[in-house]
Amino acid sequence: MGEIAGVVRTPRGNRLTVTVRLRDGSVFECELNARRTARLTEWLTRLDPVLGAYMAGR
């Protein structure tokens, strides 16, 4: 599997779509249903620092 080139997270209503793009051009997408807005907010709050730390310097 290739190295991650970028990650995009897109909230839509109570859903979160995470798209991961690899350096070789492969793209993987996952859509999650949070059911509640509070849960989606919690996911985003926890995901952003992780992505920031992982993607730092890339």
Side-chain angles (χ1 to χ4, degrees):
M1 192 171 257
E3 190 174 333
I4 295 175
V7 178
V8 176
R9 49 110 178 131
T10 308
R12 292 184 191 126
N14 289 341
R15 296 183 182 275
L16 173 63
T17 302
V18 179
T19 305
V20 178
R21 192 171 307 275
L22 303 183
R23 295 202 186 276
D24 69 4
S26 300
V27 177
F28 298 90
E29 188 172 278
C30 179
E31 184 174 279
L32 305 161
N33 183 352
R35 295 189 185 159
R36 296 184 329 251
T37 303
R39 170 69 54 94
L40 178 60
T41 301
E42 179 185 349
W43 287 351
L44 294 171
T45 300
R46 293 178 179 211
L47 182 60
D48 286 345
V50 172
L51 290 176
Y54 183 80
M55 298 303 295
R58 292 179 188 258

